[in-house]
C-alpha cells in the first residue's frame, strides 16, 4: 500500500512540474489565458498530492506503531527507499520550477503595474490610491 501511494504521489508531482513548465513557456510568449485555464487542474493535483501524502504518513506511522523498536530505515524495503528518494527529488524539482515561474510572474506584474501607473497616474489619499487629475488623455468613468 505504501509503495502504491508513493508511486501515485510521484505521478502527481510529475504532472504539477509539467503544468508549471507549460506556464513558464506561456508566460514567455504572453499567453495568459492558458495559464488561467490550468489553475483548476493544478489545484486538483495539489489536493490529490496532499491526500496521498497523508496516506503515506499514515502508512509509515502504522509501520512504526507495529514495530516501535526498529528504525524507519529497517521497516521500509529497498523499493520504498528508492521511491521516497524519488519523491524528495521531485519535490525539489517542483520547488525550483515554481521559483523560476514566480520570478517571471513578479516581473510581468511589475511591468504591468508600471505601465498602468504611466497611463493612469495615482496618488495616495490616506490608505487609498486614487487616480490623479493629470491623466488628461483618458476619460475614466467610474
Amino acid at each position: 500500500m505504501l509503495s502504491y501511494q508513493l508511486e501515485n504521489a510521484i505521478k502527481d508531482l510529475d504532472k504539477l512540474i509539467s503544468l508549471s513548465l507549460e506556464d513558464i513557456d506561456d508566460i514567455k510568449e504572453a499567453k495568459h489565458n492558458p495559464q488561467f485555464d490550468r489553475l483548476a487542474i493544478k489545484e486538483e493535483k495539489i489536493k490529490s498530492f496532499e491526500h496521498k501524502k497523508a496516506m503515506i504518513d499514515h502508512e509509515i506511522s502504522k509501520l512504526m506503531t507495529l514495530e516501535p523498536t526498529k528504525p524507519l530505515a529497517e521497516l521500509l524495503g529497498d523499493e520504498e527507499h528508492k521511491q521516497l528518494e524519488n519523491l524528495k527529488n521531485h519535490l525539489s524539482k517542483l520547488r525550483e520550477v515554481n521559483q523560476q515561474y514566480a520570478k517571471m510572474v513578479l516581473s510581468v506584474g511589475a511591468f504591468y503595474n508600471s505601465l498602468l501607473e504611466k497611463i493612469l497616474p495615482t496618488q495616495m489619499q490616506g490608505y487609498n490610491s486614487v487616480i490623479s487629475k493629470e491623466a488628461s488623455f483618458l476619460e475614466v468613468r467610474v
Side-chain angles (χ1 to χ4, degrees), residues 4-15:
Y4 173 77
Q5 294 297 340
L6 286 165
E7 183 180 322
N8 286 322
I10 292 167
K11 286 179 184 176
D12 283 346
L13 289 176
D14 273 336
K15 185 64 176 174

Side-chain angles (χ1 to χ4, degrees), residues 17-31 35 38 42 96-102 104-105:
I17 291 167
S18 171
L19 291 168
S20 295
L21 289 171
E22 287 179 43
D23 286 343
I24 288 171
D25 290 341
D26 285 342
I27 202 169
K28 287 178 182 179
E29 296 180 18
K31 295 179 183 175
Q35 294 175 65
R38 281 190 289 274
K42 288 172 84 173
E96 290 171 17
V97 170
N98 281 337
Q99 283 178 333
Q100 181 183 6
Y101 180 60
M104 294 175 145
V105 167

